[in-house]
Amino acid sequence: MAEALKLPKYSIGTGDRFAHQAKAQLAAVMKAAEQGVDIAIVWNKSNREHMIIGTEPTQTREAADAAVKELGFKGQYFLDADHITLKTVDRFLAPCDFYTIDVAEEIGKPAAEADVEAFVAAHPELVGEVRIPRIAEPFKTDVAFVKGVANKFLAAVKDAGKIYRHILEAKGEGKFVAEVSMDETDLPQTPVELLIILAAIADEKIPIQTIAPKFTGRFNKGVDYVGDVPQFTKEFEEDLAAIDFAIKRYGLPDNLKLSVHSGSDKFSIYKAIHTAITKFDAGVHLKTAGTTWLEELIGLAEAGGEGLAIAKEVYAEAFAHAEELCKPYATVIDIDYAKLPSVEEVNGWTSEQYTSALRHDQSNPAYNSSFRQLLHVGFKVAAKMGDKYLKALEANEDVVAKNVTTNIYDRHIVPVFLGK
């Protein structure tokens, strides 16, 4: 019997919207291996992105497999059906082996009273003084508290169970990795709340290997973390402690680890993450690390000529359709429209001016986070260009690939996994 698929200690989620940068992304992970750090690469692309671009998950699989073969990569790699629900999962069943189960719509929906009562009855250890090793102070709970948390999250966990069993029926046991996303909620979960969620997941018999809780602060798309870093550090370490305890107490997979969603470019917290996973000897999944689509634009602009012209055209269209492009991402972007340069201004820019505004280098006074965020959600514009955009990528492959690899390795892998 084949060995069950197991996500390694360290993994990095990389999006590749146009399926052209798999080699460049993989090269970053291979550079880490040369430094003695093995990281599994997880290519992820959501149903929404496939719908916007007009692609199929099988194309992402083909690109990943081709990159692995061409570069002779011997490590582990996965394809993530990113943020799937029961309605969207079927098209991902054949090509994917990692499933981020999204239950956002169910979080906060009242659970069945009988389910809540049964949960509380089954878990007396969660009522009273709850001691989680490696957290100094015990947590004091009562029946009302546990019922309240169960009522908020139990319907979501039950929904995750339905999705997991649907995948299980199609794929078979041990043939895929399951993650449950619990970050679409109003407030960060406390360690004891996370413990309650993990107990419910264990009861539902979902062998999750990663979980994405809610953390304090803003995790906006493609820009740095905005929030209280010491508070994040405390939450992250306490979540690691809660997971370690839940593995032992509830028999969850021993490689269960935290997943940091919208983890890309959160430079302010990378040192805290590295310190914490080192201290706890824990793993981490850094999801959507390295905004590859933006590195493509940077590469095109850097190339000059037709590449720069296309980069300017993308901005002009994104600027003209800003409201429409931003709407689906409203909760994960903060654009100051007054700071967006005019189309006329950008059309007059040199390659260096364009890349300086877009590249995520906060030491550069020309860096513009609003410009960057608008272009981040503007991939729909490039999708509408079709072959024109893809041929530009291919014509400028060397400069684009260099930006993609450098971004993932230098700005993400090195601080999080190598601690430098």
Side-chain angles (χ1 to χ4, degrees):
M1 186 179 171
E3 195 176 339
L5 270 187
K6 193 170 180 180
L7 194 64
K9 187 174 186 179
Y10 300 142
S11 52
I12 191 162
T14 57
D16 188 10
R17 291 196 165 112
F18 297 98
H20 271 59
Q21 307 309 324
K23 270 199 306 180
Q25 293 168 330
L26 187 57
V29 166
M30 292 175 78
K31 279 183 79 172
E34 289 168 7
Q35 298 298 315
V37 178
D38 290 326
I39 305 167
I41 185 168
V42 182
W43 278 284
N44 48 259
K45 188 169 172 180
S46 69
N47 190 64
R48 175 166 64 186
E49 286 161 4
H50 279 296
M51 296 296 285
I52 288 171
I53 294 168
T55 49
E56 287 293 332
T58 48
Q59 292 168 263
T60 314
R61 165 58 71 186
E62 286 161 8
D65 288 347
V68 167
K69 186 177 179 182
E70 193 169 336
L71 296 185
F73 180 61
K74 303 299 181 192
Q76 283 187 271
Y77 70 104
F78 299 83
L79 186 62
D80 180 6
D82 191 13
H83 285 286
I84 47 91
T85 64
L86 211 49
K87 292 174 189 168
T88 59
V89 68
D90 284 352
R91 72 193 300 211
F92 294 93
L93 290 175
C96 293
D97 50 14
F98 187 120
Y99 294 84
T100 299
I101 298 172
D102 190 336
V103 291
E105 289 182 10
E106 300 299 315
I107 293 174
K109 282 188 182 175
E113 196 175 329
D115 289 342
V116 174
E117 295 290 347
F119 178 82
V120 175
H123 292 286
E125 78 283 359
L126 295 171
V127 180
E129 190 170 270
V130 181
R131 290 189 174 273
I132 298 174
R134 303 188 76 162
I135 296 180
E137 294 296 317
F139 296 90
K140 291 181 170 58
T141 72
D142 55 22
V143 169
F145 173 81
V146 178
K147 276 187 175 180
V149 177
N151 197 49
K152 182 175 182 179
F153 291 103
L154 216 49
V157 173
K158 295 279 185 191
D159 189 48
K162 284 180 196 167
I163 299 167
Y164 170 75
R165 286 185 289 276
H166 182 77
I167 302 165
L168 181 64
E169 192 176 336
K171 302 287 292 185
E173 196 167 347
K175 300 287 179 66
F176 63 97
V177 170
E179 169 174 310
V180 170
S181 165
M182 286 286 179
D183 60 328
E184 298 286 333
T185 184
D186 47 352
L187 295 168
Q189 295 94 4
T190 64
V192 75
E193 286 173 326
L194 182 59
L195 198 59
I196 291 168
I197 291 167
L198 291 170
I201 288 170
D203 289 353
E204 197 64 23
K205 296 185 169 47
I206 312 171
I208 58 166
Q209 296 186 39
T210 74
I211 186 163
K214 170 83 169 177
F215 295 109
T216 196
R218 293 278 293 177
F219 284 77
N220 288 338
K221 294 284 183 184
V223 292
D224 203 355
Y225 172 79
V226 178
D228 184 336
V229 175
Q231 179 60 27
F232 168 84
T233 305
K234 178 175 183 287
E235 288 171 13
F236 192 85
E237 292 197 356
E238 288 181 342
D239 284 350
L240 290 178
I243 284 173
D244 187 53
F245 180 57
I247 290 168
K248 298 179 177 78
R249 184 67 180 77
Y250 301 118
L252 288 161
D254 62 3
N255 65 325
L256 173 60
K257 60 184 181 176
L258 284 175
S259 176
V260 183
H261 276 205
S262 291
S264 187
D265 295 25
K266 302 301 175 284
F267 305 138
S268 299
I269 57 173
Y270 283 176
K271 184 181 180 186
I273 290 173
H274 178 78
T275 301
I277 61 177
T278 303
K279 178 178 169 183
F280 281 78
D281 190 23
V284 70
H285 180 51
L286 189 70
K287 189 161 174 122
T288 54
T291 43
T292 291
W293 140 246
L294 292 183
E295 294 304 317
E296 288 180 340
L297 272 189
I298 288 167
L300 290 176
E302 201 168 73
E306 179 65 16
L308 177 59
I310 285 174
K312 288 177 178 179
E313 187 181 334
V314 169
Y315 180 71
E317 282 295 303
F319 187 88
H321 299 94
E323 190 177 337
E324 169 201 332
L325 293 169
C326 293
K327 194 175 179 182
Y329 298 94
T331 59
V332 285
I333 53 174
D334 283 314
I335 294 174
D336 182 346
Y337 289 90
K339 291 184 178 173
L340 289 174
S342 70
V343 172
E344 291 72 27
E345 183 185 345
V346 173
N347 282 342
W349 279 358
T350 61
S351 290
E352 188 180 354
Q353 285 173 302
Y354 194 105
T355 58
S356 293
L358 184 53
R359 185 178 280 124
H360 200 169
D361 175 6
Q362 293 174 54
S363 68
N364 188 335
Y367 166 65
N368 185 328
S369 67
S370 293
F371 180 75
R372 183 175 171 84
Q373 287 179 90
L374 177 59
L375 283 169
H376 193 293
V377 300
F379 66 95
K380 189 176 185 178
V381 173
K384 284 183 176 175
M385 289 180 173
D387 280 352
K388 179 181 176 181
Y389 178 74
L390 299 180
K391 283 176 180 171
L393 290 182
E394 288 156 13
N396 298 284
E397 183 179 349
D398 289 349
V399 65
V400 170
K402 181 176 177 289
N403 278 285
V404 171
T405 302
T406 299
N407 176 50
I408 293 175
Y409 183 75
D410 290 359
R411 300 190 193 108
H412 296 82
I413 287 174
V414 168
V416 173
F417 299 103
L418 278 69
K420 295 177 184 175

